[in-house]
Amino acid sequence: MTVWKRKDLLGLETLDAEEIKLIIDTAESFKEISTREIKKVPTLRGRTIVNLFFEPSTRTRTSFELAAKRLSADTVSISASTSSVLKGETLKDTARNIEAMKIDMIIMRHPCSGAPDMLAKTISSSVVNAGDGAHEHPTQGLLDLFTIREKKGKIEGLKVAIVGDILHSRVARSDIWGLKKLGAEVILCGPPTLMPPEIEKMGVRVSYDLREVMKEVDVVNLLRVQLEREKRNLFPSLREYAVLFGLNKDVLKGAKKDLVIMHPGPINRGIELSPDLADGPCSVILDQVTNGIAVRMAVLFLLLGGHTS
Amino acid sequence: MNRKTKARIMDASAIDRVITRIAHEVLEKNRQTKDLCVVGIRKGGACLAERLAKKISEIDGGEIPLGILDITLYRDDLTAIAEQPVVHKTEIGFDIRDKKVILVDDVLFTGRTIRCALDQLIDFGRPKNIQLAILIDRGHRELPIRADYVGKNVPTSVVETIEVRLKELDEVDEVIIMEGEK
């Protein structure tokens, strides 16, 4: 039986398959709590968790906050836009000051890849990466794995396509690490300008033909088109993107009947995904959101639940 | 591990007789199975709860709702124990409001597990009452908790442990007293 020994959750790259399975198994036990009339257990009573967000976020921040509250931890949320960061305080100083207030965990989102690793080395409290630059978004990766296993009953042997802006996507990286470790086959698809060079070294296949890819996969995860990228001319137009890489009924011709469609949100309806599919029976997008809370509860519990050190 | 078996105090038929007796006692005290439900504490208690529910419905006919509690998240020693306990699912698929809940566990020792279970049950709703059924009461209570139905009272010393082995988990039905440090 695997036992959790880490202080932090920084990415899926550094976890082994057993650790990932432990988190997903634990999350399964936590899912039921959110369906109770009293959606709360006393497990993390007296623990303090700080949400430190240097980028805008609704879903992830709310999800972490609800996960903490359902475990009875106290939470504080800090947005960079309303904090002393604007006065020029460094990340290290901000973190040390927060830690001096005797907190137990910092959950951080930061635009720079690697910022949470630096934070984890700076403070002795636990650090959870809630997304850093184009590096990793481990809890999103974990909730994707959880949702795939819930819908398909397994992960090993499945073919999973990740479609869209791979270059800038931390979700894609966490998904790739997690899926590969648990034995799935990963196919990336998207505009060549948004495909990182040498990405095949991660053990994935690359294709530029969405229709072909859709014929063989069990799961498709559509990434959000980051609209600000269009201005940097990384692809000619949103319309062209939608035609070549947008998922709609027509593209699904020849796809497996039990295909699962995922999206980390927020969706650009009509660009990467047509509205009828987003709300259709194959879509598990809202299940992902529900499962996100269970997965984050599991992560908080494993990091703060049973340690003396 | 430096433990040895001191005595085998119950075998399969003894356990079965105890469950039959407790089933009758439950019916004697509650008269009918209406509003009755059985909830077992993982893991041993869950198996015993299933057997008890089956026995009660065999005697009385009615279906008895069966639930399983995992009390890990309600433990009072989470920060003190070195190793992370594994969390399992709690499965209570029915509303316990205004129900008579028969809470089942294999061994009653300090009473702390039962405290966790009571807190957790009450978070699920307000039952009419909660009655405690235990296979082995070994004493050494640290909280003011007692059982309503007891299979066997076994006075023990603190260095002894009681091992309840059940077919569902260990392929054999028996209760053993072990001696020595874990």
Side-chain angles (χ1 to χ4, degrees), chain B residues 39-42 67-71 90 92 103 117 120-121 124:
Chain B
V39 174
I41 300 172
R42 269 189 205 281
I68 299 173
L69 275 187
D70 183 275
I71 54 106
T90 287
I92 298 185
L103 181 63
Q120 186 167 9
L121 269 178
F124 274 90

Side-chain angles (χ1 to χ4, degrees), chain A residues 47-307:
Chain A
R47 304 301 186 97
T48 312
I49 297 175
V50 176
N51 270 317
L52 183 58
F53 275 62
F54 291 89
E55 269 183 17
S57 160
T58 324
R59 219 171 321 266
T60 306
R61 200 170 81 173
T62 311
S63 183
F64 268 115
E65 205 158 313
L66 287 176
K69 285 181 163 43
R70 287 182 187 168
L71 291 170
S72 298
D74 296 310
T75 59
V76 180
S77 273
I78 303 169
S79 310
S81 55
T82 58
S83 73
S84 286
V85 176
L86 292 184
K87 299 176 189 165
E89 191 175 48
T90 65
L91 175 58
K92 276 189 177 176
D93 281 334
T94 304
R96 285 195 180 123
N97 276 278
I98 294 171
E99 193 175 41
M101 298 181 197
K102 306 295 175 205
I103 53 97
D104 299 286
M105 175 187 275
I106 293 182
I107 297 166
M108 184 170 76
R109 168 165 291 184
H110 201 282
C112 299
S113 302
D117 297 64
M118 198 268 284
L119 187 66
K121 285 182 195 129
T122 308
I123 62 174
S124 58
S125 317
S126 293
V127 174
V128 175
N129 178 7
D132 60 332
H135 176 227
E136 282 224 44
H137 189 350
T139 55
Q140 178 72 42
L142 290 165
L143 76 89
D144 288 346
L145 295 170
F146 181 95
T147 308
I148 294 171
R149 198 176 73 171
E150 185 182 69
K151 300 295 167 193
K152 293 287 183 188
K154 59 167 186 176
I155 289 172
E156 201 174 348
L158 292 180
K159 284 188 184 180
V160 181
I162 304 175
V163 180
D165 181 356
I166 311 292
L167 184 63
H168 299 97
S169 176
R170 51 195 173 212
V171 176
R173 283 175 188 66
S174 288
D175 277 350
I176 295 169
W177 285 120
L179 287 164
K180 292 299 297 176
K181 281 171 200 261
L182 297 190
E185 192 182 324
V186 181
I187 305 158
L188 304 180
C189 184
T193 47
L194 295 174
M195 194 61 75
E198 303 194 33
I199 189 80
E200 290 92 343
K201 284 190 175 160
M202 287 181 85
V204 298
R205 198 142 50 91
V206 175
S207 167
Y208 300 104
D209 185 341
L210 184 61
R211 278 166 202 271
E212 279 305 309
V213 170
M214 290 316 298
K215 283 179 192 159
E216 56 170 325
V217 297
D218 304 287
V219 177
V220 58
N221 191 11
L222 302 159
L223 303 173
R224 178 175 73 94
V225 175
Q226 304 181 20
L227 298 173
E228 56 276 19
R229 311 283 176 213
E230 192 196 12
K231 297 190 188 82
R232 290 176 49 203
N233 295 324
L234 285 166
F235 52 90
S237 73
L238 283 174
R239 216 177 80 82
E240 194 202 90
Y241 183 94
V243 169
L244 290 174
F245 298 103
L247 200 64
N248 54 49
K249 274 230 168 79
D250 186 45
V251 180
L252 280 194
K253 276 178 196 158
K256 291 188 179 172
K257 288 276 171 289
D258 59 350
L259 176 78
V260 166
I261 301 175
M262 304 172 72
H263 193 299
I267 315 174
N268 299 304
R269 284 175 181 264
I271 301 174
E272 64 261 13
L273 181 60
S274 68
D276 56 325
L277 290 183
D279 306 322
C282 294
S283 162
V284 299
I285 296 170
L286 292 177
D287 297 88
Q288 287 174 272
V289 178
T290 304
N291 292 340
I293 292 190
V295 165
R296 291 181 177 113
M297 285 171 83
V299 168
L300 301 185
F301 169 75
L302 289 170
L303 290 175
L304 292 182
H307 289 269

Side-chain angles (χ1 to χ4, degrees), chain A residues 29 36-37 43 47 302 306, chain B residues 73 78-79 81 84 87 124:
Chain A
S29 304
R36 294 183 194 172
E37 201 173 296
T43 317
R47 304 301 186 97
L302 289 170
Chain B
L73 300 174
L78 272 178
T79 48
I81 45 179
Q84 189 73 249
V87 185
F124 274 90

Side-chain angles (χ1 to χ4, degrees), chain B residues 93-141:
Chain B
F94 48 89
D95 192 353
I96 66 163
R97 237 176 310 178
D98 296 323
K99 287 261 169 42
K100 296 175 191 165
V101 181
I102 312 294
L103 181 63
V104 184
D105 204 3
D106 47 6
V107 180
L108 180 56
F109 180 33
T110 61
R112 288 181 193 266
T113 301
I114 304 303
R115 196 282 305 166
C116 297
L118 292 174
D119 278 353
Q120 186 167 9
L121 269 178
I122 285 162
D123 279 355
F124 274 90
R126 187 177 187 275
K128 186 162 192 210
N129 61 46
I130 301 176
Q131 302 161 34
L132 180 60
I134 289 290
L135 183 64
I136 305 288
D137 184 348
R138 61 167 293 198
H140 305 286
R141 217 75 79 236

